[in-house]
């Protein structure tokens, strides 16, 4: 029914002999663009809740307003992966998407701090996250495309270095503009501080420069052996048994999406819930359509082949999906609620227009910069740690350190000491950005690198959609509006992810599966 992991691994190994080793400078140039990409995520993670609250959003509305990120990632990343796998031309497979998505994201960055209303800010966030997802997904595939097996660890570590550097710069930028360059950090008349607006403008310009650096210093040529292999390996078509499983899953998704819509209408839930219902319903319809077209004799299904790729995904990817669910649920809660949690818990402020609230928000930016700086350094140490205790143990250890860091926000009273929790979170972030991709890189066939990287990233956004749905009612009703408790929930989620990491096949397990 399914393509075996042995077949996937055999094809993946065929990439290395024909893939040329790159110099460190070439690897560096290939990863520079992620500095700009992470500036977008850094500015968004620290300032989105701040912008929404400034425009009048209540604390229990924040989670659902953040739904743009996971929703667009769920749709955009697999589609861009599929398209870039099949793109040919003088500019290569991945670079056109990196450049186009980067330019659109920069325009959205310029617009975000000037949104006149809550609905306008929400709309710009949708555009911003869709655009940056277009640019981001091909970066992972580019490293897998261009580097042989023995250089991939260095490639992904370099990516994490630039991700950390970009996030440090973006997260601390409003604070630096206020305290180093005397740019006003006062909100004034319910608007955003001038330092925040300027940070978005600088971020947009930096994104353009970083993305253009990678695009114009990195080559992609059809002569690469992996590209030739990509065109020679056929798409795996489901057997009758696989098609029946796909049809059953399609029916369940259609029924589930419809049920969510009915319940949302009955309970008068937020309108964004209907988007989740529509995504589930649409995914089910796509699976049913793929089965119907195959049974009608269609040889090529275009984008609908993505649902068949999900059916055939390697066991490594399936097990990682569970780990990523708990990981990214916790991260999403952290990004949404750290600013209001620290402002209320450590600065005694709940009014976004108050000086105390903005001081707390700026300090969170510094803390986020700190954990990303730790991640940039930790990424360079992870290969040695993984070589000693294994990838799974390394990942689990780092996730537990991240959970301990999130608990630190509850138990530490002095905001000046919150840099201690930031260290633990930084260790977790380094592992999250590198180890799962290192696990996955050799488990997927080269002609499906883009689409499987995109499918993997859907397992990052599904938990965020779930979190966006339930965190608002939890914080508003169960936690009594106290955002700090959401950080404790995030800590527990990272601990569960650490436990589930040991269900992921190790190298020895995969070798036994390949022989079988």
């Amino acid at each position: 029914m399914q393509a075996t992991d042995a077949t996937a691994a055999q094809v993946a190994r065929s990439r290395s002999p024909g893939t040329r080793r790159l110099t460190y400078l070439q690897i560096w140039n290939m990863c520079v663009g992620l500095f700009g990409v992470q500036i977008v995520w850094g500015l968004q993670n620290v300032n989105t809740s701040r912008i929404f609250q400034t425009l009048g959003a209540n604390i229990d509305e924040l989670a659902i307003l953040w739904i743009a990120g996971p929703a667009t990632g769920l749709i955009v990343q697999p589609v861009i992966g599929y398209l870039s796998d099949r793109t040919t031309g003088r500019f290569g497979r991945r670079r056109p998407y990196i450049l186009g998505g980067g330019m659109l994201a920069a325009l959205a960055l310029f617009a975000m701090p000037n949104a006149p209303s809550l609905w306008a800010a929400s709309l710009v966030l949708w555009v911003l996250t869709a655009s940056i997802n277009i640019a981001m997904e091909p970066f992972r595939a580019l490293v897998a495309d261009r580097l042989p097996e023995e250089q991939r660890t260095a490639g992904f570590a370099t990516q994490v270095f630039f991700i950390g550097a970009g996030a440090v710069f973006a997260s601390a930028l409003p604070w630096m503009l206020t305290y180093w360059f005397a740019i006003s950090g006062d909100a004034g008349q319910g608007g955003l501080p001038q330092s925040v607006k300027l940070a978005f403008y600088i971020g947009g310009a930096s994104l353009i420069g970083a993305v253009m650096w990678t695009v114009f210093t990195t080559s992609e040529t059809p002569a690469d052996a992996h590209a030739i292999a990509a065109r020679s390996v056929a798409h795996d078509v489901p057997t009758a048994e696989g098609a029946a499983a796909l049809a059953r899953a399609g029916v369940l998704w259609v029924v589930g999406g419809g049920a969510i819509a009915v319940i949302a209408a009955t309970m008068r839930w937020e309108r964004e819930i209907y988007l989740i219902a529509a995504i589930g319903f649409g995914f089910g319809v796509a699976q049913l359509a793929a089965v119907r077209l195959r049974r009608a004799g269609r040889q090529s299904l275009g984008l609908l082949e993505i649902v068949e790729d999900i059916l055939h995904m390697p066991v490594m990817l399936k097990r990682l999906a569970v780990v990523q669910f708990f990981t990214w649920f916790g991260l999403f809660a952290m990004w949404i609620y750290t600013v209001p949690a620290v402002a209320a818990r450590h600065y005694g402020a709940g009014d976004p227009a108050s000086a105390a609230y903005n001081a707390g928000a700026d300090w969170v930016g510094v803390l986020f910069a700190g954990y990303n700086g730790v991640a940039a350094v930790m990424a360079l140490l992870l290969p040695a740690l993984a070589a000693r205790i294994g990838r799974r143990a390394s990942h689990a250890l780092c996730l537990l350190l991240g959970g301990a860091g999130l608990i630190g926000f509850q138990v530490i009273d002095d905001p000046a000491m919150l840099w201690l929790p930031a260290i633990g979170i930084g260790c977790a972030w380094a592992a999250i950005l590198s180890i799962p991709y290192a696990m996955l890189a050799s488990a997927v066939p080269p002609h499906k690198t883009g689409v499987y990287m995109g499918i993997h990233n859907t397992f990052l956004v599904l938990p965020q959609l779930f979190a966006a749905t339930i965190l608002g009612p939890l914080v508003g009703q169960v936690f009594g509006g106290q955002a700090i408790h959401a950080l404790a929930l995030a800590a527990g989620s990272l601990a569960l992810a650490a436990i589930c990491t040991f269900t992921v096949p190790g190298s020895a397990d995969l070798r036994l599966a390949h022989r079988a």
Side-chain angles (χ1 to χ4, degrees), residues 257-346:
I260 291 173
V262 170
I263 294 172
T266 303
M267 304 294 292
R268 296 183 179 180
W269 287 346
E270 297 285 348
R271 62 185 179 276
E272 288 85 355
I273 301 297
Y274 293 103
L275 174 65
I276 298 175
I279 291 173
F281 187 88
F283 182 57
V285 169
Q287 293 177 82
L288 295 175
V291 173
R292 182 179 178 85
L293 289 172
R294 285 296 185 198
R295 288 173 175 170
R298 285 283 295 272
Q299 298 299 310
S300 177
L301 302 185
L303 286 172
L304 288 177
E305 289 182 357
I306 294 174
V307 299
E308 295 181 338
D309 291 327
I310 293 173
L311 177 70
H312 295 142
M313 62 186 177
V315 65
M316 173 74 77
L317 187 51
K318 295 176 183 177
R319 300 288 177 83
L320 277 174
V322 179
V323 177
Q324 299 291 48
F325 178 87
F326 292 112
T327 298
W328 287 83
F329 180 94
L331 289 173
F332 196 66
M334 179 188 75
W335 290 327
I336 295 172
Y337 291 110
T338 301
V339 166
V342 169
R345 165 76 170 80
H346 298 89

Side-chain angles (χ1 to χ4, degrees), residues 1 13 22 143 157 172 227 247 274 326 368 509:
M1 176 180 72
R13 286 193 297 270
L22 301 186
V143 166
Y274 293 103
F326 292 112
F368 276 27
D509 299 325

Side-chain angles (χ1 to χ4, degrees), residues 93-114:
R93 303 166 75 190
R94 318 296 181 186
R95 290 186 301 162
Y97 300 94
I98 292 172
L99 181 61
M103 293 300 176
L104 289 173
L107 293 175
L109 275 183
F110 296 144
M112 185 73 179
N114 297 302

Side-chain angles (χ1 to χ4, degrees), residues 345-346 401-414 417-422 425 484 487-488 491:
R345 165 76 170 80
H346 298 89
L401 289 173
L406 288 167
I407 290 294
F409 281 92
Q410 281 207 327
V411 300
I412 293 176
D413 295 325
D414 184 358
M417 297 301 295
L418 291 178
W419 61 268
L420 287 170
I425 295 170
I484 193 70
L487 300 187

Side-chain angles (χ1 to χ4, degrees), residues 361-448:
D362 286 343
W363 183 234
V364 170
V366 175
L367 294 174
F368 276 27
Y371 89 67
N372 280 285
V374 170
V377 175
M378 186 64 184
L380 303 179
L381 305 177
L382 279 177
L385 179 64
R388 179 174 292 274
I389 67 173
R391 286 174 175 167
R392 292 183 297 183
S394 299
H395 195 58
L397 174 61
C398 290
L399 289 174
L400 289 174
L401 289 173
L406 288 167
I407 290 294
F409 281 92
Q410 281 207 327
V411 300
I412 293 176
D413 295 325
D414 184 358
M417 297 301 295
L418 291 178
W419 61 268
L420 287 170
I423 293 175
I425 295 170
C427 293
W429 189 230
I432 290 165
L433 291 177
S434 57
I435 292 180
Y437 293 97
M439 289 177 173
L440 192 61
S442 298
V444 300
H447 65 296
K448 296 287 187 181

Side-chain angles (χ1 to χ4, degrees), residues 229-248:
R231 293 192 294 270
S232 64
V233 182
H235 173 75
D236 295 315
V237 177
T239 62
E241 182 183 354
L246 203 59
R248 289 192 298 270

